[in-house]
């Protein structure tokens, strides 16, 4: 996708449809929908790129959400929030919610850009 304001609602709708097809409980669905919204919005607002991609993958024991873009700058995950800053809390909040769901958030270089990956245990 091209990083535009329409990306977050489109990505959220796609993730919601995939989660509902798999019968993912509402509380975990909420965490993953917030995550995709925040991660895609961060690309639109902050990344210097002309593309982004969002994908959800289901493993036997996990659900994985990847948001990638062409900007090599890596955001910090799990770092302290500047209480005086006007923004910068979204990824921190995502990290907290994902950790509360027993999951992890990782950021890593990929090609000339990066991927932010959320992985949570699949419901049993």
């Amino acid at each position: 996708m091209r990083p535009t304001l329409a990306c977050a609602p489109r990505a959220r709708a796609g993730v919601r449809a995939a989660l509902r097809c798999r019968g993912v409980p509402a509380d975990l669905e909420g965490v993953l929908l917030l995550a995709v919204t925040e991660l895609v919005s961060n690309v639109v607002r902050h990344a210097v790129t002309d593309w982004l991609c969002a994908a959800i993958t289901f493993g036997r024991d996990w659900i994985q959400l990847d948001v990638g873009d062409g900007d090599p700058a890596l955001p910090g995950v799990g770092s302290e929030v500047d209480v005086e800053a006007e923004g910068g809390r979204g990824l921190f909040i995502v990290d907290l919610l994902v950790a509360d769901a027993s999951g992890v958030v990782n950021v890593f270089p990929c090609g000339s850009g990066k991927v932010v990956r959320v992985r949570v245990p699949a419901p049993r």
Side-chain angles (χ1 to χ4, degrees):
M1 294 185 259
R2 293 195 55 76
T4 66
L5 293 177
C7 288
R10 281 188 9 219
R12 189 172 50 246
V15 168
R16 179 183 291 120
L19 294 171
R20 290 193 175 166
C21 281
R22 296 286 183 135
V24 173
D27 57 339
L28 186 54
E29 177 184 312
V31 169
L32 292 167
L33 291 177
L34 184 136
V36 73
T37 301
E38 182 60 32
L39 298 178
V40 168
S41 296
N42 281 352
V43 173
V44 172
R45 274 190 240 118
H46 304 294
V48 180
T49 185
D50 59 354
W51 65 271
L52 73 89
C53 63
I56 189 155
T57 310
F58 297 88
R60 180 175 173 199
D61 298 324
W62 48 263
I63 301 171
Q64 181 172 292
L65 170 68
D66 289 329
V67 175
D69 65 63
D71 187 341
L74 303 178
V77 176
S79 55
E80 292 284 324
V81 172
D82 180 355
V83 294
E84 299 300 321
E86 207 170 293
R89 292 170 181 81
L91 191 54
F92 180 74
I93 292 169
V94 168
D95 191 44
L96 288 175
L97 290 172
V98 169
D100 193 49
S102 300
V104 295
V105 178
N106 291 297
V107 179
F108 54 90
C110 185
S112 61
K114 67 179 165 300
V115 171
V116 179
R117 173 169 289 163
V118 171
R119 186 179 270 204
V120 295
R124 296 273 173 190

